[in-house]
Amino acid sequence: EDQVTQSPEALRLQEGESSSLNCSYTVSGLRGLFWYRQDPGKGPEFLFTLYSAGEEKEKERLKATLTKKESFLHITAPKPEDSATYLCAVVSQAGTALIFGKGTTLSVSS
Amino acid sequence: NAGVMQNPRHLVRRRGQEARLRCSPMKGHSHVYWYRQLPEEGLKFMVYLQKENIIDESGMPKERFSAEFPKEGPSILRIQQVVRGDSAAYFCASSPEGTNTEAFFGQGTRLTVV
């Protein structure tokens, strides 16, 4: 069964305190792994797509990496505006849907 | 390039009424997906459509729910005879090609059944 598990569920950081969010997945034949950011009351905002183990993508203070079993979203020197829920998703084995994890809610205080 | 447009943003229906949720994909996108989000449960896939075709509706309840993406006009998610358990945020996403390409989400429709 296709499955995505994110950890931790919630993370509190001080401004400037770097950390990583984890996304472990179970799917046969990975077709793509996606990271999204979601603010309260808003729709998910696309961040990254990763397709193969070893691939890395960066955007401002965020860097996403991928292995054969998990992905990490590294946040370097976060700012309060990085506070949001970060969602990880994989393409289902059938190739017709994104399977989402429950997300990690990040709070960054100044 | 306008993003994915969903309307209405908020919808209140009494039990037993019908709810119609609309989604206009991004320009140039012919693939549309509907997801439902309940508190503490995350985003759940409902249905995947291309113009005039339902590709996968395995995530949609078999009764009361239907979806379409006509040749002209927006995609419609229709819920008949709503019940309190249908209260949720419904998100539409679109992509230029299949599911292995970036999907962009709308701001959602928040349905409240009273």
Side-chain angles (χ1 to χ4, degrees):
Chain A
E1 181 186 353
D2 303 334
Q3 196 166 0
V4 176
T5 303
Q6 293 188 245
S7 62
E9 290 185 16
L11 181 62
R12 291 183 179 275
L13 298 174
Q14 291 288 321
E15 185 172 4
E17 180 185 3
S18 301
S19 188
S20 297
L21 282 54
N22 177 263
C23 169
S24 61
Y25 61 90
T26 304
V27 65
S28 180
L30 182 68
R31 301 184 189 204
L33 184 142
F34 298 78
W35 282 98
Y36 287 86
R37 167 192 171 131
Q38 187 174 26
D39 293 297
K42 301 284 185 66
E45 175 189 345
F46 171 77
L47 293 174
F48 303 109
T49 309
L50 302 166
Y51 291 104
S52 56
E55 191 174 357
E56 299 182 352
K57 295 258 179 91
E58 284 189 70
K59 179 180 179 181
E60 295 181 356
R61 295 176 293 282
L62 300 177
K63 179 181 177 180
T65 62
L66 180 64
T67 72
K68 288 186 177 179
K69 293 185 177 181
E70 57 191 350
S71 177
F72 292 93
L73 185 65
H74 307 277
I75 303 175
T76 302
K79 297 182 177 182
E81 53 262 42
D82 294 323
S83 297
T85 296
Y86 291 85
L87 302 172
C88 172
V90 297
V91 179
S92 65
Q93 184 173 351
T96 56
L98 290 180
I99 308 300
F100 281 85
K102 292 186 178 182
T104 294
T105 300
L106 173 66
S107 299
V108 182
S109 54
S110 56
Chain B
N1 188 7
V4 177
M5 304 300 292
Q6 289 188 250
N7 65 79
R9 290 293 308 278
H10 301 274
L11 183 62
V12 179
R13 285 287 177 264
R14 296 185 183 278
R15 282 177 292 171
Q17 291 185 320
E18 178 179 289
R20 282 190 176 231
L21 288 61
R22 294 174 182 77
C23 169
S24 296
M26 287 181 69
K27 187 176 180 181
H29 288 193
S30 59
H31 299 248
V32 166
Y33 317 84
W34 285 92
Y35 290 81
R36 178 164 63 176
Q37 189 171 42
L38 290 165
E40 312 302 324
E41 287 194 16
L43 279 158
K44 299 293 185 185
F45 167 76
M46 298 182 74
V47 61
Y48 168 24
L49 310 111
Q50 293 182 32
K51 286 284 186 180
E52 300 184 280
N53 285 308
I54 296 175
I55 307 302
D56 181 0
E57 58 182 348
S58 61
M60 202 153 64
K62 290 185 170 26
E63 296 182 357
R64 302 187 299 107
F65 285 72
S66 63
E68 62 177 5
F69 188 17
K71 186 177 180 180
E72 301 291 338
S75 175
I76 305 288
L77 178 67
R78 182 183 179 199
I79 311 172
Q80 294 179 294
Q81 299 177 325
V82 297
V83 301
R84 287 222 171 109
D86 297 331
S87 296
Y90 292 83
F91 290 97
C92 169
S94 72
S95 66
E97 296 179 14
T99 49
N100 61 342
T101 56
E102 292 85 349
F104 295 88
F105 282 78
Q107 295 301 313
T109 294
R110 278 145 190 86
L111 172 65
T112 302
V113 179
V114 297

